[in-house]
């Protein structure tokens, strides 16, 4: 398992040889000691990416040639899916089945998808008329797109390889080079990507991976030779990234947090909706940006629905992430578990009712486990309802009618996703069009067509990713106008 920085196509230790421990959430034991990139290492990584962007073969290759190499990278990920999935399960604490079957599979798919999308992307031409120096001319204006140069990709810890590839897929497929900075809490599979890229024949310097704490990320976004930043993480960090980007007007996209509502209407298929709501909040132990953490439920069916939901929660198999049958593992760290628990104790002290969870399970004995938790009768202005907990905590609110449901759903500064559970198509469309969220799922959770825009409204982010949205972000459009109609040889 690589633990050094990947710069210019090879692994090397950090300038001052500083390291940080990576802790396995399920065992609380040290998994690795990983290099901390100092400012000099960050500069070296950006320099390697800069040289590869300015004078290397990568930007000059056509999309088809790039796709061949990127597809070999995807092959490498698939060949090592079990090993990478196990490493990610140990690093993040997510169930290994989820890592192998979803996250790692998606990582390979992300790269293949954007390699093909860049290959299939056609440039546009517009035709018009104009007068110039007394002559009537015809104009053909084409929009050519070129790579931006060096991209900084910063990702959080909850789905490292899936998020890394979701960003570097379009970045590299459009001819850019990049420096990837994974989270200090789960950096291992991103580091392994260096090895996979080198084996696939990616030219040196096109992908660089640097590890470290927040200061490493800050040095990267502040570096003057970085042309664009794709940041995924918390709202507070997103703000400082955007401020740093403003210094040299770097292009920036932000994928931030959420507080997504689950709206359950009286006409919903209650059993299926209960299973869907449980999955939307407790998958990945609630550590998902699109977690449906606020349950909004029609008052008339609240008791019946909550009984069904509690039944679903009681069936969740909590255990060792490396056990193939496990559905729910530990949280990422001791301090994160404390933070999650503080939200719960504060809400309960203020009068909320604990329907389930709210504590550490008796088994497994080690690991940062926290039970799936549901809080009812909660103050709508409380921190647990208004702030992103990023853990397995669902708050319950009741609504009187559709109007009330929409108002409650939109009463948040976030706007990432929303879930509507109903059997009435008219209601689904009516409500979906009024929710202030970047993504709305009806009777489902987190299903993705990679061509559609992914991202958030309000403080959940800036910009969109997916399909042409990503290709546009990573390229500079250039208008080239050509005239014809007057032939001097005629
Ligand atoms: P975080 O903001 O603490 O850290 C994210 C990354 O930023 C890490 O790699 C970190 O080292 C780096 N970083 C820290 N300080 C920095 C700075 N000043 N400049 C540059 N980089 C810096 O987030 P986290 O705790 O790792 O992740 C959880 C958050 O990520 C949640 O809010 C979650 O909703 C969000 N998230 C969003 C999406 C999305 O697509 N919208 C996906 C996954 C997670």
């Amino acid at each position: 398992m690589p633990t050094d920085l990947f710069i210019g196509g090879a692994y090397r230790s950090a300038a001052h040889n500083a390291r940080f421990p990576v802790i396995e959430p399920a065992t609380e034991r040290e998994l690795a000691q990983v290099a901390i990139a100092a400012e000099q290492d960050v500069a070296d990584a950006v320099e390697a990416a800069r040289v590869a962007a300015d004078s290397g073969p990568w930007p000059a290759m056509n999309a088809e040639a790039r796709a061949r190499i990127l597809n070999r990278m995807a092959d490498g990920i698939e060949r090592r899916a079990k090993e990478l999935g196990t490493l990610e399960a140990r690093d993040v604490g997510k169930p290994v089945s989820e890592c192998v079957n979803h996250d790692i599979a998606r990582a390979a798919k992300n790269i293949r998808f954007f390699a093909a999308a860049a290959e299939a992307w056609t440039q546009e031409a517009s035709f018009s008329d104009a007068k110039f120096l007394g002559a009537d001319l015809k104009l053909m204006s084409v929009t050519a797109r070129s790579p931006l140069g060096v991209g900084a990709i910063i990702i959080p810890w909850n789905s490292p390889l899936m998020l890394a590839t979701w960003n570097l897929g379009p970045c590299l497929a459009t001819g850019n080079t990049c420096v990837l900075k994974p989270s200090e809490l789960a950096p291992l599979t991103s580091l392994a990507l260096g090895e996979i890229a080198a084996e696939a024949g990616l030219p040196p310097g096109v992908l660089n991976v640097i590890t470290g704490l927040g200061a490493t990320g800050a040095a990267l976004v502040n570096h003057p030779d970085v042309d664009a930043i794709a940041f995924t993480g918390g709202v507070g960090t997103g703000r400082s990234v955007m401020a740093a980007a403003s210094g040299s007007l770097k292009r920036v996209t932000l994928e931030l947090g959420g507080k997504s509502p689950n709206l359950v209407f009286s006409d919903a298929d209650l059993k299926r909706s209960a299973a869907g709501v449980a999955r939307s909040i407790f998958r990945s132990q609630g550590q998902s940006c699109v977690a449906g953490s606020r349950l909004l439920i029609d008052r008339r069916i609240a008791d019946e629905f909550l009984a069904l939901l509690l039944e679903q929660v009681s069936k969740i198999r909590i255990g060792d992430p490396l056990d193939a049958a496990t559905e729910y593992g530990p949280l990422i760290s001791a301090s994160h578990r404390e933070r999650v628990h503080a939200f719960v104790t504060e809400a309960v002290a203020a009068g909320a009712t604990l329907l389930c969870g709210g504590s550490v399970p008796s088994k497994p004995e080690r690991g940062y486990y926290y039970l799936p938790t549901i809080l009812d009768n909660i103050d709508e202005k409380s921190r647990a309802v208004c702030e992103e907990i990023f853990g397995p905590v669902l708050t319950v609110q009741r609504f009187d009618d559709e109007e009330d449901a929409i108002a409650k759903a939109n009463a948040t500064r976030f706007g990432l996703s929303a879930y509507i559970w109903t059997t009435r198509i008219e209601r689904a469309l009516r409500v979906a069009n009024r929710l202030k969220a970047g993504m709305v799922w009806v009777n489902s959770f987190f299903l993705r067509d990679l061509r559609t825009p992914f991202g958030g409204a309000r403080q959940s982010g800036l910009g969109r990713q997916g399909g042409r949205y990503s290709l546009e972000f990573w390229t500079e459009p250039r208008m080239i106008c050509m005239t014809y109609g007057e032939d001097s040889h005629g």
Side-chain angles (χ1 to χ4, degrees):
M1 145 184 38
T3 56
D4 279 339
L5 312 175
F6 184 75
I7 297 178
Y11 288 99
R12 50 160 255 204
S13 50
H16 308 302
N17 218 2
R19 294 193 169 259
F20 64 93
V22 175
I23 307 296
E24 183 171 7
T27 61
E28 305 181 30
R29 280 198 284 266
E30 190 179 296
L31 192 55
Q33 281 278 340
V34 171
I36 299 181
E39 214 165 314
Q40 184 56 51
D41 302 301
V42 175
D44 291 348
V46 174
E47 169 73 7
R50 183 82 265 161
V51 170
D54 291 349
S55 49
W58 189 250
M61 277 183 193
N62 62 37
E64 196 183 341
R66 284 200 291 260
R68 270 198 295 276
I69 296 176
L70 291 173
N71 283 328
R72 283 207 295 272
M73 256 178 91
D75 293 342
I77 292 174
E78 277 166 355
R79 245 192 329 271
R80 293 168 62 168
K82 205 158 169 229
E83 172 200 337
L84 291 168
T86 306
L87 187 58
E88 191 125 304
R90 295 191 70 186
D91 209 3
V92 183
K94 281 180 37 153
V96 70
S97 57
E98 189 181 319
C99 291
V100 175
N101 301 331
H102 182 264
D103 287 24
I104 307 299
R106 250 296 293 284
K109 188 175 174 191
N110 283 342
I111 293 182
R112 281 194 209 293
F113 171 80
F114 281 112
E119 220 182 318
W121 207 18
T122 51
Q123 313 286 333
E124 290 162 15
S126 330
F127 296 89
S128 48
D129 303 318
K131 246 190 194 344
F132 183 64
L133 300 177
D136 287 323
L137 295 177
K138 299 272 181 207
L139 306 186
M140 182 180 75
S141 306
V142 295
T143 310
R145 289 192 168 265
S146 34
L148 299 176
V150 176
I153 297 174
I154 300 181
I155 56 162
W157 48 263
N158 61 320
S159 297
L161 208 58
M162 188 172 93
L163 292 170
T165 51
W166 179 235
N167 287 283
L168 64 85
C171 170
L172 300 187
T174 47
N176 298 282
T177 63
C178 78
V179 179
L180 167 67
K181 152 76 177 79
S183 164
E184 55 274 36
L185 293 172
L188 298 175
T189 49
S190 298
L191 282 173
L193 211 49
E195 211 166 62
I196 292 168
E199 281 164 16
L202 196 72
V206 173
L207 167 67
N208 305 277
V209 188
I210 55 168
T211 43
L213 313 181
T216 301
L220 179 60
V221 294
N222 277 301
H223 197 291
D225 252 347
V226 165
D227 298 298
I229 304 166
F231 174 81
T232 311
V235 174
T237 322
R239 263 189 219 115
S240 61
V241 167
M242 195 165 167
S246 73
S248 53
L249 293 176
K250 294 180 177 83
R251 188 177 292 192
V252 60
T253 177
L254 303 173
E255 293 285 357
L256 309 177
K259 193 72 190 174
S260 303
N262 256 305
L263 294 93
V264 183
F265 289 95
S266 57
D267 56 77
D269 173 340
L270 295 191
K271 210 165 166 201
R272 205 166 168 274
S273 310
V277 168
R279 176 170 290 226
S280 83
I281 175 65
F282 297 125
R283 181 179 178 273
S284 306
Q285 298 81 257
Q287 302 169 129
S288 162
C289 56
V290 291
S293 50
R294 289 186 295 141
L295 173 61
L296 305 178
I297 179 171
D298 187 310
R299 194 177 293 287
R300 292 165 296 173
I301 52 151
D303 291 346
E304 187 186 351
F305 184 79
L306 288 172
L308 289 168
L309 181 61
L310 287 170
E311 192 188 324
Q312 285 294 329
V313 174
S314 70
K315 288 194 225 153
I316 295 174
R317 288 193 295 265
I318 303 176
D320 177 359
L322 297 182
D323 181 340
T326 294
E327 294 171 326
Y328 183 101
L331 304 192
I332 186 71
S333 67
S335 62
H336 187 51
R337 180 169 67 178
E338 272 165 35
R339 183 179 167 276
V340 169
H341 187 54
F343 275 102
V344 176
T345 47
E346 188 181 307
V348 171
T353 315
L354 204 52
L355 295 187
C356 65
S359 61
V360 173
S362 53
K363 272 187 179 164
E365 277 147 23
R366 284 183 86 88
Y368 309 124
Y369 289 85
Y370 196 78
L371 286 169
T373 300
I374 303 180
L375 291 167
D376 197 2
N377 303 314
I378 189 160
D379 176 2
E380 295 184 357
K381 299 269 180 290
S382 70
R383 281 198 324 127
V385 174
C386 300
E387 290 180 26
E388 184 187 42
I389 300 176
F390 211 57
V393 181
L394 178 71
T395 58
V396 182
Q397 294 167 260
R398 289 162 179 73
F399 61 78
D400 298 320
D401 53 26
E402 207 174 284
E403 212 47 48
D404 190 28
I406 293 167
K408 287 190 161 87
N410 287 338
T412 168
R413 69 191 164 107
F414 294 101
L416 192 56
S417 51
Y419 306 92
I420 301 171
W421 304 91
T422 177
T423 51
R424 285 172 54 192
I425 185 73
E426 298 83 0
R427 167 167 276 157
L429 291 174
R430 221 168 33 229
V431 176
N433 273 320
R434 291 187 56 200
L435 291 177
K436 293 184 176 154
M439 299 170 287
V440 179
W441 276 276
V442 178
N443 295 327
S444 61
F445 162 70
F446 199 38
L447 303 177
R448 294 278 292 118
D449 177 327
L450 302 188
R451 290 168 292 197
T452 59
F454 184 97
R458 298 169 153 185
Q459 290 190 26
S460 286
L462 206 65
R464 292 292 185 274
Q465 294 177 299
R468 69 178 171 83
Y469 303 92
S470 294
L471 300 179
E472 282 171 6
F473 175 79
W474 286 108
T475 51
E476 191 71 60
R478 184 187 305 113
M479 190 283 291
I480 304 172
C481 175
M482 284 171 284
T483 59
Y484 61 103
E486 198 188 46
D487 189 346
S488 56
H489 298 287

